Amino acid sequence: MKHRVSTVLLALAAAAPVAYAQSGGLNETQLLGRQVFAQSCGICHLQPSLGVKTYGPMLNKAATAGNDEVMRAFIVNGTDRMPAFKYYLKPAEIDAIIAYVRTVPVPVAPAPNARK
């Protein structure tokens, strides 16, 4: 019996890093945010393939200078080029999107070419 319990505990301990890695280290709110972002925002803010421009800017943790309230205002009220989501998304979903976007790293700028 002790052997079975220790085997089960060992299996669970081994599986935990895999589950963590699959989620990208995101918590439950951030995972929801990633899902809602992909469904509601991805058409404009995710690059579909190499060389294709997006309609909106690529979003990352530096978006809106890191100000969550400004990002919330953009999502809720929209802009001239972006629809308002106040009637489409619940406040918890908007909070989750913001929590997720704050985990997206800022892309590294390409190094200038030393040879010209």
Side-chain angles (χ1 to χ4, degrees), residues 10-22:
L10 182 61
L12 289 174
V18 173
Y20 184 80
Q22 288 175 343

Side-chain angles (χ1 to χ4, degrees), residues 7-78:
T7 303
V8 170
L9 289 176
L10 182 61
L12 289 174
V18 173
Y20 184 80
Q22 288 175 343
S23 71
L26 303 177
N27 64 33
E28 192 174 319
T29 300
Q30 293 162 339
L31 287 170
L32 172 64
R34 181 174 68 180
Q35 177 186 352
V36 176
F37 182 85
Q39 292 171 340
S40 301
C41 313
I43 190 71
C44 293
H45 294 285
L46 291 175
Q47 191 170 5
S49 62
L50 294 175
V52 177
K53 297 269 185 185
T54 59
Y55 293 109
M58 299 296 289
L59 299 178
N60 57 54
K61 62 183 168 184
T64 64
N67 187 322
D68 292 352
E69 292 308 314
V70 171
M71 184 173 287
R72 183 173 287 100
F74 274 112
I75 296 169
V76 169
N77 301 316

Side-chain angles (χ1 to χ4, degrees), residues 71-78 82 84-86 89 94 97-98:
M71 184 173 287
R72 183 173 287 100
F74 274 112
I75 296 169
V76 169
N77 301 316
M82 182 178 125
F85 285 92
K86 61 184 162 192
L89 297 175
I94 294 171
I97 290 170
I98 294 167

